[in-house]
Amino acid sequence: MQYRQLGNTNLKLSRLSYGASPLGSVFRNISEQDGIRTVHTALDLGINYIDVSPYYGNTVAETVLGKALKSVPRDKYILSTKAGRYGSDFTDFDFSASRIRESLEESFARLGVDYVDILYLHDIEFGDLQQVFDESIPCLQALRDEGKIGYFGVTGYPLKIFAETINRYQIDCILSYCRYGLHDTSLSTLLPKLDEKNIGIINASPTGMGLLTKRGAPDWHPGTPELLAASKQAVALCDQHGVDPTAIALQFAIDHPSIVSTLVGTANPENIVKNVKWAEQTYDVELTHKIRKIYEGVSCIWPSGYEKNQDN
């Protein structure tokens, strides 16, 4: 496993990291014991960074992860969680300082820790960015100064929110999802600015939330019919070449030198083993070009959050 420095922090993250949302049965009902074994397998294979959120499975993911980490020495993993998002409706977001503090203490209790390495504001496009800038981020700075968190950042889907945030604050890192992968490489437009400010970049969902998988996108996927159709064509092309679409999607995503770590989520120990093996292999450059060509001219982004916070 390779490790990369996260921006200006003292953290070195595994190039492949573990996204714990499946522990909350977000995508399918899972066995708690399988989930715990998956976490232990990931750590045994050299993955040292785990990301979770109280939103995943309505706190279930944090609870299961806490059980998995109970037997693991604290210095063996880097842990991040989030605050601000607690459900799917706009009313389920609360970026007030008081709720951030309460949320962090609740996460501590579920995770069985008294400190997290990184705390993110979760999907800030669903909040009032003025509140995020005037109240939420100063709260994270205070929590860092108090020693409750090591570093802080923001997460979300639109690139616009990251651009506005880093123009206002020197945050430690961002967590972006579905914006750097075979279906959509638009995060690359923001990478020079992030690199210039030495802000660490975490990439999530390299398959585009299931677009580039054998199973295909779930029914709830927000992508356009055009995007879903193109992705089915891309998966069929991979099948013709005898390549697992998840493998090449992952390999392409982790290859960018500016991306510190890419999150993969599963609650199956066998899948985490496959992901680690895939991450150690090179990808078929010619096939990636063919896949990227399928997406040319296709609208590959979707609305997320308040309209004023969305990308044009």
Side-chain angles (χ1 to χ4, degrees), residues 36-48:
I36 291 171
R37 286 196 300 117
T38 303
V39 174
H40 291 166
T41 301
L43 293 170
D44 289 344
L45 292 173
I47 290 174
N48 73 343

Side-chain angles (χ1 to χ4, degrees), residues 89-109:
D89 297 329
F90 281 87
T91 54
D92 296 322
F93 289 80
D94 188 344
F95 291 103
S96 66
S98 59
R99 186 66 187 103
I100 290 170
R101 286 182 172 275
E102 290 172 356
S103 180
L104 181 60
E105 294 297 332
E106 292 163 1
S107 292
F108 283 164

Side-chain angles (χ1 to χ4, degrees), residues 5 11 17 37 41 73 79 88 129 143 178 195 198 205 213 230 236 244 250 259:
Q5 195 80 27
L11 303 176
S17 46
R37 286 196 300 117
T41 301
L79 178 63
S88 299
L129 289 189
L143 288 168
C178 293
D195 284 342
N198 207 10
S205 202
T213 62
D244 191 301
L250 173 63
I259 292 173

Side-chain angles (χ1 to χ4, degrees), residues 210-224:
L211 291 172
L212 287 162
T213 62
K214 289 182 177 179
R215 184 184 300 175
D219 293 339
W220 49 261
H221 198 285
T224 64

Side-chain angles (χ1 to χ4, degrees), residues 45 94 97 123 135 163 207 261:
L45 292 173
D94 188 344
D123 292 346
E135 181 178 359
T207 66
S261 190

Side-chain angles (χ1 to χ4, degrees), residues 7 11 75 90 97 99 108 133-134 136 151 174 205 246 265 295 304:
L11 303 176
D75 62 353
F90 281 87
R99 186 66 187 103
F108 283 164
F133 298 148
D134 293 345
S136 311
Y151 303 98
I174 68 159
S205 202
T246 300
Y295 289 105
S304 181

